[in-house]
Amino acid sequence: MNMLHQDKDFIIRQFSSEEQSLFCDLFEDPEVTKYLPYRSSQQYAEMFDIALEDYTKGPFGRFGIFAAENNDFIGMCLARNFADIPGQIEIGYTLSKKYWGKGIATKVSRALVAYCFSNTETNEVVAVTDLDNVGSQKVLEKAGFKRLDNLKRPDAEMAYFIVIRD
C-alpha cells in the first residue's frame, strides 16, 4: 500500500478495497458535503472503485487520511490534473466533522503540495472551493496558497487558489 505522507499526526495513503465503507460513510454527513456537488451513495461507491483503479495509473488519485496514533479514519484527499487549466495539479480534501478545527486540513494541504511538487514537473498546484466555504479558504491561505480571481465555470463560480513552486 503506497504511503504519500506520514508524520506524528496523520498518514496519507492509498485506500485498500476493504475501506470502501469508510470512504462512502464520510459523505453521509450533510455538514461534510454542504459545499460539495451532490452525489448519490452509488456515485460515491463508483468514485471509490475509480480511486483504486487510479493507483495503477500514476501518482494521482484519492487517498485516505488516517490518524497516526490509532489509525482512525480522518477523511480523504486528492491530487489530480486540474480539468480547467492544463499543467496545473489540483488538490482537495474532505474531513470527518470530528477532525474539523484541529489544523489537520492545513497540514494535509501542505503535504499534498509537497507530494505534487516532488512527484511531477508541475510548477502550479491549485485548489478550488465553493464561494461560501470560508473555512476551507482560510485553510488554503494558512497552507501557503494565494487567492486568485474567481474561477468561472458554466455551472458555478469557485474561489480559486494557487501555490507556485519556488
Side-chain angles (χ1 to χ4, degrees):
M1 187 170 319
N2 190 11
M3 196 173 306
L4 280 67
H5 173 86
Q6 181 173 7
D7 64 27
K8 65 180 180 55
D9 299 315
F10 61 88
I11 297 163
I12 301 174
R13 65 166 171 78
Q14 293 177 349
F15 283 104
S16 68
S17 58
E18 298 81 29
E19 294 170 327
Q20 183 179 39
S21 63
L22 283 178
F23 179 89
C24 292
D25 289 350
L26 175 66
F27 300 100
E28 292 295 316
D29 184 333
E31 286 187 71
V32 169
T33 60
K34 179 176 181 179
Y35 299 112
L36 299 176
Y38 172 78
R39 290 187 174 91
S40 68
S41 298
Q42 179 61 34
Q43 287 171 307
Y44 282 116
E46 291 167 5
M47 185 186 292
F48 183 83
D49 291 339
I50 291 167
L52 296 181
E53 288 174 30
D54 285 344
Y55 299 150
T56 65
K57 298 176 185 173
F60 299 135
R62 288 179 168 81
F63 305 97
I65 309 165
F66 296 86
E69 181 183 335
N70 59 11
N71 205 39
D72 192 35
F73 181 61
I74 294 173
M76 61 79 60
C77 59
L78 64 82
R80 63 183 174 198
N81 288 310
F82 190 43
D84 295 84
I85 299 174
Q88 292 182 338
I89 297 174
E90 177 185 19
I91 65 156
Y93 59 84
T94 303
L95 302 185
S96 172
K97 197 166 55 179
K98 77 177 190 177
Y99 286 99
W100 292 2
K102 300 180 184 307
I104 294 171
T106 301
K107 292 177 184 175
V108 165
S109 297
R110 288 181 184 140
L112 288 171
V113 168
Y115 174 79
C116 291
F117 285 154
S118 65
N119 287 280
T120 72
E121 299 295 316
T122 190
N123 291 316
E124 299 177 337
V125 176
V126 300
V128 295
T129 72
D130 185 285
L131 291 178
D132 295 330
N133 192 346
V134 176
S136 279
Q137 293 166 24
K138 288 179 181 176
V139 162
L140 292 169
E141 288 171 343
K142 280 190 232 169
F145 283 77
K146 179 182 174 228
R147 185 157 182 180
L148 301 174
D149 290 339
N150 290 346
L151 180 71
K152 292 177 175 61
R153 292 179 169 159
D155 57 339
E157 188 170 339
M158 308 291 287
Y160 181 40
F161 294 82
I162 191 167
V163 171
I164 298 174
R165 186 190 298 259
D166 291 334

